[in-house]
């Protein structure tokens, strides 16, 4: 008889569903490791392009490998004209995450290797997605504002090119470098909700694009990638440091959540939040406006204090907490914060989808097929009598 574990209705917390070679989240010590390397070292020495290569290949690239990978990414930056036409037909109020999710199947339809399931073809598909998602997000922002999309600049880095396509002007080196760090920090986080969604779809032998669409959908929710834009809305609503105490206390007293605080895995500070706090401070210096940094710091301090009083335990900022004010100061529109998360996380998703497809961390590929206990209407083992429509009453 098959064994089942009693793990129902707990959101799979603490349930190990697979092995992975891609990343490790040490929630107790606050460490995040990509392919054996500490995120702090990657931020200090690498670029998003190099980290993407690492995630997809299980080793850091040689100089030659990196050069080839970078030029492949650059050569795949343009999106098919049909995709621009599609976006121009969409209503301006469409949410950028919905546009991004809808755009990916359009890319799939234009991929000449769509039905080639070799690892090499999947690697090429991953490159195309990493290269093109930023273009889609930037193009949609311009199209919805009645502007023409900006063609990618082939000289700029991945991070710099996104900021350029979004605003139409070249970012300063410091901001482009800090945005590159943001991309590295958001690129991978083990079996989070969106990655699991992508892997689950990949386990059915669906193609990489279909798996990525599922992951984008999962990321859009406010308990996952949607939290960063909710943090910014909170900052704007609170507005002044002297309103923080009353706002946060009231929120927590009523059982509400302070977005960007707390984490399902980290029981100490999320290492990404530590790095993002530094970027937030640099952006405040760069823009000459310390308001958003000070407000975010005040919310962090008051939430920690009030949470301790109310629940007798600690709470810490997660990746979304400081990224909100960082993106705001970079001039990124609030509803693009989650799509910006996606243009980074696509590297991690693609690595996981390939790991799932090719069983790179387990003996053979397995279709995910969990069980559930039926707790609905029950009339016995032969089911309930079927009532014809004319005899039904409400
Ligand atoms: C991320 C999150 C879902 C993690 O949840 P979790 O570890 O499963 O923790 P729980 O939801 O079980 O929360 C434990 C307790 O802390 C409270 N809590 C957790 N995060 C909180 C927050 N941000 N604000 C207020 N209370 C919070 C919960 O209400 C719960 O209280 P209870 O024990 O009285 O029911 C949760 O912290 C959250 O909703 N944070 C805000 C959304 C967010 O920033 N998401 C991005 C995650 S990267």
């Amino acid at each position: 008889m098959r064994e089942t574990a009693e793990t129902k209705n707990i959101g799979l917390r603490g349930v190990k569903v697979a092995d992975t070679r891609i990343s490790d989240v040490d929630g107790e010590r606050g460490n995040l490791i990509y392919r054996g390397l500490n995120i702090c070292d990657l931020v200090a020495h690498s670029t998003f392009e190099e980290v993407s290569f690492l995630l997809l290949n299980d080793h850091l690239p040689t100089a030659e490998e990196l050069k080839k990978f970078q030029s492949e990414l650059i050569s795949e930056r343009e999106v098919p004209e049909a995709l621009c036409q599609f976006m121009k037909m969409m209503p301006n109020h469409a949410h950028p995450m919905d546009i991004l999710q809808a755009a990916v199947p359009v890319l799939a339809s234009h991929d000449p290797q769509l039905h080639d399931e070799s690892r090499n073809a999947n690697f090429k598909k991953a490159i195309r997605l990493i290269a093109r998602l930023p273009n889609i997000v930037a193009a949609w922002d311009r199209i919805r504002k009645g502007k023409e999309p900006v063609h990618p600049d082939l000289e700029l880095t991945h991070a710099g090119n996104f900021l350029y396509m979004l605003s139409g002007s070249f970012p300063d080196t410091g901001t482009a470098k800090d945005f590159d760090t943001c991309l590295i920090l958001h690129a991978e986080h083990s079996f989070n909700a969106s990655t699991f969604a992508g892997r689950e779809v990949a386990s059915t032998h669906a193609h990489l694009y279909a798996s990525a669409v599922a992951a984008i959908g999962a990321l859009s929710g406010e308990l996952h990638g949607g939290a960063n834009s909710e943090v910014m809305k909170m900052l704007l609503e609170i507005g002044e440091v002297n309103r923080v105490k009353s706002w946060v206390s009231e929120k927590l007293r009523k059982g509400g959540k302070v977005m960007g605080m707390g984490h399902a895995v980290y029981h100490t500070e999320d290492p990404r939040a530590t790095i993002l706090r530094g970027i937030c401070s640099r952006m405040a210096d760069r823009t000459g406006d310390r308001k958003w940094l000070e407000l975010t710091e005040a919310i962090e301090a008051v939430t920690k204090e009030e949470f301790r009083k109310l629940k007798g335990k600690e709470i810490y900022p997660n990746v979304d907490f400081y990224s909100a004010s960082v993106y705001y100061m970079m001039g990124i529109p609030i509803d693009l914060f989650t799509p910006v998360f996606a243009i980074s996380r696509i590297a991690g998703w693609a690595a996981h989808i390939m790991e799932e497809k090719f069983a790179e961390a387990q003996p053979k590929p397995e279709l995910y097929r969990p069980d559930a206990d039926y707790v609905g209407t029950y009339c016995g083992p032969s089911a309930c009598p079927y009532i014809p429509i004319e005899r039904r009453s409400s």
Side-chain angles (χ1 to χ4, degrees):
M1 214 177 96
R2 237 166 13 120
E3 274 180 30
T4 52
E6 275 306 312
T7 48
K8 282 189 304 184
N9 305 331
I10 56 163
L12 293 178
R13 291 292 191 290
V15 178
K16 293 191 188 299
V17 294
D19 291 329
T20 180
R21 299 178 53 82
I22 300 170
S23 69
D24 186 32
V25 182
D26 180 343
E28 300 309 318
R29 290 186 197 84
N31 281 334
L32 173 57
I33 306 287
Y34 292 175
R35 300 279 193 191
L37 294 164
N38 194 298
I39 188 83
C40 299
D41 289 329
L42 291 171
V43 160
H45 306 294
S46 276
T47 60
F48 174 71
E49 289 88 324
E50 196 173 9
V51 168
S52 299
F53 183 98
L54 169 73
L55 291 171
L56 294 171
N57 290 289
D58 208 4
H59 66 270
L60 280 171
T62 61
E64 205 174 304
E65 282 173 324
L66 181 59
K67 202 166 159 219
K68 181 166 179 277
F69 186 68
Q70 278 168 329
S71 67
E72 283 180 313
L73 277 175
I74 289 172
S75 69
E76 296 288 358
R77 277 182 186 168
E78 288 283 3
V79 295
E81 179 51 30
L83 183 50
C84 290
Q85 295 307 327
F86 160 76
M87 287 193 273
K88 285 178 180 169
M89 285 162 59
M90 297 304 285
N92 293 348
H93 62 260
H95 194 282
M97 277 303 271
D98 291 329
I99 295 293
L100 189 64
Q101 204 180 8
V104 171
V106 181
L107 292 182
S109 313
H110 285 79
D111 193 318
Q113 292 177 294
L114 183 61
H115 299 296
D116 181 344
E117 277 298 335
S118 64
R119 196 186 193 285
N120 189 45
N122 273 285
F123 182 67
K124 293 271 192 267
K125 287 176 221 179
I127 289 181
R128 290 182 192 120
L129 274 172
I130 296 169
R132 291 175 183 173
L133 291 199
N135 194 338
I136 296 166
V137 174
W140 170 246
D141 189 56
R142 296 182 68 86
I143 288 169
R144 69 178 172 168
K145 290 172 176 163
K147 298 180 192 165
E148 270 305 305
V150 171
H151 283 284
D153 184 296
L154 307 185
E155 301 297 319
L156 291 173
T157 63
H158 193 77
N161 179 56
F162 171 72
L163 294 175
Y164 166 69
M165 284 192 296
L166 189 62
S167 68
S169 48
F170 293 105
D172 66 85
T173 321
T175 302
K177 180 64 198 145
D178 279 336
F179 186 62
D180 181 75
T181 301
C182 295
L183 294 182
I184 294 175
L185 293 176
H186 286 81
E188 167 53 15
H189 212 239
S190 193
F191 268 63
N192 55 85
S194 57
T195 301
F196 184 51
R199 286 189 74 130
E200 196 267 336
V201 172
S203 84
T204 71
H205 291 188
H207 54 63
L208 192 138
Y209 289 93
S211 309
V213 167
I216 294 171
L219 188 75
S220 67
E222 67 169 17
L223 292 188
H224 190 10
N228 53 13
S229 51
E230 294 304 314
V231 171
M232 198 60 226
K233 287 180 201 161
M234 170 178 74
L235 294 175
L236 290 165
E237 189 186 324
I238 298 177
E240 301 294 335
V241 169
N242 60 17
R243 292 192 59 227
V244 169
K245 180 105 182 151
S246 56
W247 193 96
V248 170
S249 313
E250 167 119 344
K251 186 77 169 178
L252 293 180
R253 204 173 33 79
K254 288 185 172 164
K257 288 204 167 162
V258 177
M259 302 311 281
M261 295 292 291
H263 198 276
V265 181
Y266 292 114
H267 302 298
T268 182
E269 182 157 297
D270 182 333
R272 302 166 299 174
T274 315
I275 299 168
L276 284 159
R277 193 187 282 110
I279 298 181
C280 191
S281 174
R282 282 201 291 280
M283 283 308 300
D285 290 343
R286 226 169 257 140
T287 57
D289 181 0
R290 302 197 73 75
K291 173 176 176 170
W292 305 110
L293 169 70
E294 285 167 6
L295 201 49
T296 312
E297 284 177 333
I299 297 170
E300 178 188 345
V302 173
T303 306
K304 282 177 166 172
E305 188 188 322
E306 295 295 313
F307 196 80
R308 209 176 289 127
K309 273 195 231 155
L310 210 64
K311 309 252 186 209
K313 55 185 178 183
E314 301 298 320
I315 192 164
Y316 302 93
N318 61 51
V319 69
D320 296 307
F321 196 64
Y322 280 93
S323 61
S325 36
V326 165
Y327 292 157
Y328 193 73
M329 287 188 275
M330 285 178 178
I332 299 172
I334 298 170
D335 63 357
L336 291 197
F337 290 6
T338 312
V340 163
F341 194 150
I343 68 177
S344 159
R345 184 57 60 85
I346 185 63
W349 289 334
H352 277 277
I353 291 164
M354 288 201 278
E355 186 176 76
E356 189 68 51
K357 276 180 180 294
F358 301 104
E360 290 173 344
Q362 62 191 53
K364 65 181 182 62
E366 283 288 355
L367 173 71
Y368 285 101
R369 202 334 183 165
D371 275 346
D373 283 328
Y374 177 65
V375 294
T377 307
Y378 185 70
C379 312
S382 316
C384 302
Y386 180 84
I387 302 170
I389 195 162
E390 59 281 5
R391 290 194 6 232
R392 287 176 216 159
S393 55
S394 54

